[in-house]
């Protein structure tokens, strides 16, 4: 069975005594173990555009299809992470995503927590979009539902770790163990309380992904590849450097 790198772990082993959110001095990814892909995930769509080997999962978008995977079980809280290397060059209209959702259980009234990379033209940086979507609310009534960031590194040059830490009190988005966003539970109506599955995908979102749809997917550049890789722990010096970097909100 292939050893895999997507992380699934229930939150009770991650919580600190005070219930404070992680900081650049606290590394939740070092406290979880990886899990075999076939033990926790299955192909959801586009199996012909998905390849699993001993150390990586590759999914890609071409003119025929994109691809996606889904966890076998649903979860009410946890730490969910993956190491990703994004496709370089022209990727306008292409979405590479890692997210939680219960849309299949509650169509039209679902919850969702997203990490999405919005495709780009070669002269622009990748945009990482975080999203919290509650009970079908996509109309902006939830303040701060979407937040976008430019990273402090080029995500096409190497693998980096992206994660969501979901507890009964808050959701924290992390990049290389650096918290980039905290979404607090202020009321039951603005926080996901129902179980969600874990998903990953790559797909054509030409209508909105890049500069509000100004630039579309150009299949002359296909295939567009999203690579997930077995996680390796960074050295202490690397962690310190990550913690000292700044994130640019856009």
């Amino acid at each position: 069975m292939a050893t895999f790198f997507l992380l699934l772990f229930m939150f009770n082993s991650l919580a600190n005594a005070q219930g404070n959110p992680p900081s650049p001095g606290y590394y939740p990814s070092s406290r979880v173990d990886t899990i075999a892909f076939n033990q926790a995930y299955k192909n959801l769509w586009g199996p012909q555009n998905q390849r699993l080997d001993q150390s990586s999962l590759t999914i890609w978008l071409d003119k025929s299809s994109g691809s996606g995977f889904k966890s076998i079980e649903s979860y009410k809280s946890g730490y969910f992470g993956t190491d990703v290397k994004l496709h370089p060059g022209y990727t306008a209209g292409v979405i590479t995503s890692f997210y939680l959702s219960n849309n299949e259980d509650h169509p039209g009234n679902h919850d969702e927590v997203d990490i999405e990379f919005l495709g780009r033209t070669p002269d622009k940086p990748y945009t990482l979009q975080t999203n919290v979507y509650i009970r079908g609310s996509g109309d902006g009534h939830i303040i701060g539902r979407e937040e976008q960031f430019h990273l402090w590194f080029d995500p096409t040059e190497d693998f980096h770790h992206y994660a969501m830490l979901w507890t009964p009190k808050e959701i924290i988005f992390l990049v290389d163990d650096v918290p980039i966003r905290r979404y607090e539970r202020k009321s039951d109506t603005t926080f996901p309380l129902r179980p969600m599955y874990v998903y990953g995908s790559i797909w054509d979102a030409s209508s909105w992904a890049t500069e509000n749809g100004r630039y579309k997917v150009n299949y002359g550049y296909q295939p567009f590849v999203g690579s997930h890789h077995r996680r390796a722990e960074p050295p202490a010096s690397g962690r310190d450097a990550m913690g000292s970097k700044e994130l640019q909100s856009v």
Side-chain angles (χ1 to χ4, degrees), residues 4 18 39 46 77 85 93 97 107 112 114 127 145 155 166 212 225 236-237 242:
F4 206 59
Q18 294 75 30
Q39 290 180 342
S77 63
K85 183 179 180 181
S97 63
E112 190 166 310
D114 301 326
T127 296
R145 185 176 73 86
W166 175 29
N212 294 318
V225 177
S237 59
M242 291 171 188

Side-chain angles (χ1 to χ4, degrees), residues 5-7 29 79 81-86 98 115 117 128 151-163 174-178 227-232 234 238 241-242 245:
F5 35 80
L6 294 176
L7 309 180
S29 70
Y79 178 92
T82 181
D83 281 19
V84 180
K85 183 179 180 181
L86 298 174
F98 182 65
I115 293 175
F117 288 96
L128 184 156
L151 299 168
W152 56 90
F153 53 82
D154 183 345
T156 71
E157 292 182 347
D158 204 350
F159 289 90
H160 291 268
H161 189 67
Y162 306 93
L174 304 103
V175 177
D176 288 339
D177 284 321
V178 177
S227 301
H228 300 254
H229 197 268
R230 182 178 178 180
R231 178 171 58 93
M242 291 171 188
K245 300 296 184 182

Side-chain angles (χ1 to χ4, degrees), residues 59-82:
I59 57 177
W60 61 92
L61 169 70
D62 58 27
K63 198 169 185 178
S64 68
S65 180
S67 188
F69 56 87
K70 176 187 176 182
S71 65
I72 297 170
E73 298 182 9
S74 61
Y75 302 86
K76 290 193 70 174
S77 63
Y79 178 92
F80 310 91
T82 181

